């Protein structure tokens, strides 16, 4: 019985999301008695496989390194995963619920003719999981009757597993073939010296109240004082203030930092879905009726254009 | 080129749903329903491709009880040419919906399928990718831009770190993200016209698809409530509390 976790990596190192998916896998292993293995798929990703081999408590690392898997296009990777699931007697296939995991796993599940359980927040047992529905306004406990469980993991719901100190064997897999359906053209990665939203300890986010993208530097100055990441509500993204990769919410990123500061954000259901598991929430808004105050540990009714510069000074 | 757009009837995005007292599901009686917002974006994109001459016909499809005809008529009012309802009262899970849609794809042979990246009820984010797998199509998920260049569909995708561009062979499947477009409103004359546009009905049996659920919902419960917080009156009081009381600064 193999519980296979698909590692997210940049060919060199494992990304933080993998550590959270691993924790969920270990919980499943504890329930079922299965073994956890890690898959590193890509091209010229030997260094990432070495990093994966250092993860403690795993049975082995499967390395699928071939040109067809270079950007891990789902058209090429999904069929390769189906063969792997069959060859390795995989009972549970997991990935973090990142854009990459969300893109890939349903394609694999459909090829295997099994359901997928998306975005789990709790492992009840080997067949049963808890997942949020309706923007997190309800939690569903679901049980799968399929032979292979295909699962994406909400990273904020599981602690990061230790990634170093182990020594697992690396098993090289067969060359994957190019399905000839798709090609990678380019990637524009947002450049920033600030921490990533999904792993930041502190996040400060702006909403429609920011009025314009030109005002986001007010948030950035505060962020830089305290090492925070900068996020935004859907309203701010929809209004064109900032790019979509900054969006926190039901349809953007799900975050749970130690401190979340919501500035000029009214607190729509869709935004709360993405941040209400933060440890401490601060809301700054000039409308004291704003629903964001209902979830905030500390609320400040103020004009953000006065409060932000003052906050920057006092930190 | 024919475009197939799949749409879903869901609880309106502004409704805060409540869990039923018996924990069997959420309360859906007397709740306002609407087209899933991402499906609206899919309809808009298809109509724009038709207006720009890339597409020749836009077919909209939905699976569900007869109530989803309301959403199909809305799609027709927005500019779709005809509609297909896959009529069933069963609860449909993503894999079953993907199989139903795949059977429609086999019949209709569209050059492009556009659908929302996720529905705001189940929040699964699966059906598009599953349909792409079953029909052997390449997938451009979370699209913020779609452009046909010769025989290749160029899709800009919203990914965690920024944007990714991929080239897909046709026929292809696209799932929509927020910034792809801003959907229009249906005009009154178009709403009237939509009533006369064709709406065909099929059943899962007609399509030869078994829609038996693979996941059993054992329980639906309320998420833990956050305790009410306190209001502070000044920025300095806020900073003080964060440092001493909350200990997060």
């Amino acid at each position: 019985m193999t519980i296979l976790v698909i590692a997210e990596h940049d060919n060199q190192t494992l990304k933080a999301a993998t550590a959270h998916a691993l924790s969920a896998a270990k919980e499943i292993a504890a329930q079922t008695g299965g073994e956890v293995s890690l898959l590193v798929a890509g091209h010229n990703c030997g260094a990432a496989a070495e990093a994966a081999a250092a993860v403690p408590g795993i049975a082995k690392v499967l390395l699928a390194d071939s040109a067809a898997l270079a950007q891990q296009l789902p058209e090429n990777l999904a069929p390769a995963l189906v063969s792997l699931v069959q060859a390795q007697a995989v009972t549970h296939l997991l990935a973090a619920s990142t854009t990459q995991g969300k893109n890939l796993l349903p394609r694999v599940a459909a090829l295997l003719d099994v359901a997928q359980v998306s975005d789990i927040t709790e492992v009840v047992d080997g067949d049963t999981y808890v997942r949020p529905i309706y923007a997190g306004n309800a939690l569903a406990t679901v049980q799968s009757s399929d032979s292979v469980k295909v699962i994406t993991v909400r990273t904020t719901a599981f602690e990061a597993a230790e990634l170093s100190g182990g020594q697992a064997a690396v098993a090289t897999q067969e060359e994957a073939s190019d399905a000839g359906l798709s090609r990678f053209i380019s990637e524009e990665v947002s450049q920033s010296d600030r921490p990533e939203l999904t792993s930041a300890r502190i996040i400060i986010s702006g909403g429609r109240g920011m009025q314009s993208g030109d005002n986001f530097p007010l948030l950035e100055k505060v962020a830089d004082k305290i090492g925070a990441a900068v996020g935004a509500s859907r309203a701010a993204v929809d209004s064109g203030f900032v790019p979509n990769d900054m969006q926190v919410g039901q349809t953007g990123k799900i975050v749970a930092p130690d401190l979340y500061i919501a500035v000029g954000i009214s607190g729509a259901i869709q935004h709360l879905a993405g941040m209400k598991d933060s440890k401490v929430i601060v809301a700054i808004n000039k409308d004291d009726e704003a629903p964001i105050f209902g979830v905030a540990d500390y609320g400040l009714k103020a004009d953000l254009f006065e409060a932000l510069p003052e906050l920057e000074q006092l930190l | 080129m024919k475009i197939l757009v799949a749409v879903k009837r869901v609880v309106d995005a502004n409704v805060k749903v409540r869990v039923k007292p018996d924990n069997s599901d959420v309360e859906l009686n007397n709740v306002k329903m609407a087209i899933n917002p991402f499906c609206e974006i899919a309809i808009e994109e298809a109509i724009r491709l038709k207006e720009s001459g890339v597409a020749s016909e836009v077919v909209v499809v939905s699976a569900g009880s007869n109530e989803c005809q309301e959403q199909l008529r809305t799609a027709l009012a927005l500019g779709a040419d005809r509609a297909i309802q896959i009529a069933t009262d069963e609860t449909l899970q993503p894999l079953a919906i993907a199989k139903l849609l795949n059977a429609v794809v086999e019949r209709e042979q569209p050059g492009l399928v556009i659908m929302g990246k996720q529905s705001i009820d189940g929040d699964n984010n699966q059906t598009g990718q599953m349909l792409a797998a079953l029909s052997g199509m390449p997938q451009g998920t979370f699209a913020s831009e779609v452009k046909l260049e010769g025989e290749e569909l160029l899709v800009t995708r919203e990914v965690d770190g920024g944007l990714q561009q991929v080239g897909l062979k046709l026929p292809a499947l696209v799932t929509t993200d927020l910034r792809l477009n801003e959907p229009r409103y249906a005009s009154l004359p178009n709403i009237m016209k939509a009533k006369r546009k064709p709406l065909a009905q099929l059943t899962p049996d007609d399509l030869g698809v078994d829609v038996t659920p693979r996941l059993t919902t054992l329980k639906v419960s309320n998420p833990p409530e956050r305790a009410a917080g306190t209001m502070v009156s000044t920025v300095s009081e806020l900073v003080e509390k964060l440092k001493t009381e909350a200990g997060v600064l």
Side-chain angles (χ1 to χ4, degrees):
Chain A
M1 296 220 318
T2 301
I3 299 157
L4 186 63
V5 177
I6 303 169
E8 218 162 294
H9 62 86
D10 58 5
N11 288 333
Q12 303 296 319
T13 55
L14 300 185
K15 292 197 181 166
T18 305
H20 300 278
L22 262 168
S23 276
K26 286 182 171 178
E27 284 190 30
I28 295 170
Q31 293 274 352
T32 61
E35 288 183 334
V36 178
S37 288
L38 259 174
L39 171 73
V40 175
H43 188 42
N44 296 328
C45 53
E50 270 174 46
V55 172
I58 59 167
K60 60 185 166 194
V61 172
L62 307 178
L63 171 61
D65 190 329
S66 56
L69 300 181
Q71 274 79 29
Q72 301 171 53
L73 293 173
E75 294 78 7
N76 300 342
L77 183 50
L81 270 162
V82 169
S83 313
L84 255 179
V85 164
Q86 284 153 358
Q88 303 284 335
V90 171
T91 54
H92 297 75
L93 179 66
L94 282 81
S97 200
T98 55
T99 48
Q100 193 180 322
K102 290 176 192 169
N103 189 31
L104 173 67
L105 250 61
R107 193 164 178 116
V108 181
L111 293 177
L112 289 169
D113 192 26
V114 302
Q116 174 176 307
V117 188
S118 290
D119 229 8
I120 63 161
T121 54
E122 195 186 321
V123 173
V124 178
D125 60 41
D127 305 326
T128 315
Y129 308 92
V130 178
R131 56 177 307 268
I133 53 175
Y134 292 93
N137 284 308
L139 298 175
T141 305
V142 295
Q143 188 173 41
S144 164
S145 57
D146 286 318
S147 55
V148 182
K149 278 64 169 166
V150 175
I151 296 165
T152 59
V153 177
R154 178 169 288 202
T155 53
T156 54
F158 295 87
E159 295 288 324
E162 194 58 53
L163 290 183
S164 61
Q167 205 171 21
V170 178
T172 305
Q173 304 301 303
E174 280 175 35
E175 191 88 352
S177 55
D178 189 336
L181 291 172
S182 56
R183 69 184 178 103
F184 170 85
I185 298 173
S186 64
E187 193 151 65
E188 275 171 53
V189 178
S190 308
Q191 295 297 336
S192 170
D193 297 332
R194 298 190 191 93
E196 261 188 65
L197 268 175
T198 48
S199 55
R201 203 181 68 79
I202 304 176
I203 295 174
I204 181 163
S205 288
R208 205 195 304 270
M210 296 300 294
Q211 293 179 11
S212 147
D214 297 339
N215 294 325
F216 266 69
L218 290 171
L219 290 177
E220 291 162 4
K221 284 182 200 157
V222 175
D224 291 342
K225 272 258 171 108
I226 50 176
V230 178
S233 69
R234 174 173 166 173
V237 173
D238 274 354
S239 309
F241 299 173
V242 290
N244 189 60
D245 55 31
M246 286 172 67
Q247 191 202 150
V248 171
Q250 181 186 18
T251 62
K253 293 193 169 82
I254 310 287
V255 301
D258 289 346
L259 173 60
Y260 188 92
I261 307 174
V263 184
I265 291 177
S266 65
I269 300 167
Q270 291 77 12
H271 186 72
L272 301 185
M275 46 62 82
K276 69 183 164 62
D277 293 327
S278 305
K279 290 199 180 69
V280 176
I281 297 175
V282 170
I284 302 176
N285 205 301
K286 65 179 177 190
D287 172 13
D288 55 7
E289 298 287 308
I292 190 78
F293 287 122
V295 300
D297 299 286
Y298 300 102
L300 173 65
K301 186 196 168 194
D303 181 342
L304 66 92
F305 295 102
E306 287 164 21
L308 282 175
E310 199 182 337
L311 186 59
E312 185 203 338
Q313 267 188 351
L314 288 173
L315 288 171
Chain B
M1 182 170 72
K2 185 194 285 186
I3 301 182
L4 184 70
V5 179
V7 302
K8 188 174 182 188
R9 173 183 170 91
V10 298
V11 169
D12 185 272
N14 297 311
V15 172
K16 187 173 189 295
V17 296
R18 282 176 209 295
V19 172
K20 284 185 180 173
D22 67 356
N23 289 109
S24 61
D25 200 351
V26 297
E27 186 55 70
L28 293 178
N29 279 331
N30 300 317
V31 170
K32 190 180 172 207
M33 304 294 278
I35 293 187
N36 180 48
F38 289 101
C39 303
E40 274 188 315
I41 298 174
I43 298 166
E44 177 66 33
E45 195 63 18
I47 295 165
R48 288 187 190 187
L49 286 168
K50 190 181 171 193
E51 286 169 346
S52 66
V54 172
S56 51
E57 188 185 22
V58 176
V59 181
V60 60
V61 56
S62 189
S65 61
N66 286 347
E67 289 162 325
C68 77
Q69 289 184 11
E70 194 187 322
Q71 279 63 45
L72 288 171
R73 290 289 173 202
T74 306
L76 292 171
L78 289 166
D81 298 294
R82 61 188 169 89
I84 301 169
Q85 180 203 358
I86 306 167
T88 172
D89 290 328
E90 295 281 325
T91 302
L92 298 173
Q93 293 179 351
L95 182 62
I97 300 173
K99 287 180 180 180
L100 292 169
L101 294 176
N102 184 41
V104 172
V105 165
E106 280 168 9
R107 288 184 173 213
E108 294 284 338
Q109 298 288 319
L112 178 62
V113 179
I114 311 181
M115 50 202 291
K117 75 166 180 177
Q118 87 191 52
S119 61
I120 60 165
D121 49 3
D123 281 334
N124 281 300
N125 197 330
Q126 298 176 3
T127 310
Q129 295 88 314
M130 286 182 159
L131 172 58
L134 298 176
S135 60
M137 286 191 232
Q139 64 192 47
T141 54
F142 326 143
S144 64
E145 202 188 340
V146 174
K147 208 165 61 184
L148 188 69
E149 216 170 77
E151 289 294 292
E152 192 180 39
L153 191 74
L154 304 182
V155 180
T156 305
R157 304 182 53 235
E158 305 267 16
V159 294
D160 285 334
L163 295 171
Q164 182 191 63
Q165 201 181 41
V166 291
L168 310 178
K169 260 196 186 155
L170 296 176
L173 182 138
V174 166
T175 74
T176 61
D177 215 321
L178 284 178
R179 295 194 299 174
L180 183 59
N181 59 52
E182 216 167 294
R184 69 192 69 190
Y185 293 99
S187 68
L188 193 57
N190 285 342
I191 293 170
M192 300 310 288
K193 255 192 261 170
K195 291 185 177 161
R196 291 191 301 274
K197 286 186 179 176
L199 191 157
Q201 268 188 321
L202 293 167
T203 65
D205 277 346
D206 294 337
L207 297 169
V209 175
D210 174 10
V211 296
T212 311
R214 305 292 188 81
L215 299 178
T216 313
T217 300
L218 303 179
K219 186 174 76 177
V220 174
S221 51
N222 280 305
E225 290 269 337
R226 280 191 86 94
T230 51
M231 292 300 285
V232 295
S233 48
T234 62
V235 175
S236 56
E237 189 189 344
L238 174 65
V239 172
E240 184 59 30
K241 292 228 182 220
L242 289 177
K243 281 183 177 159
T244 55
E245 203 173 274
V248 286
L249 279 181

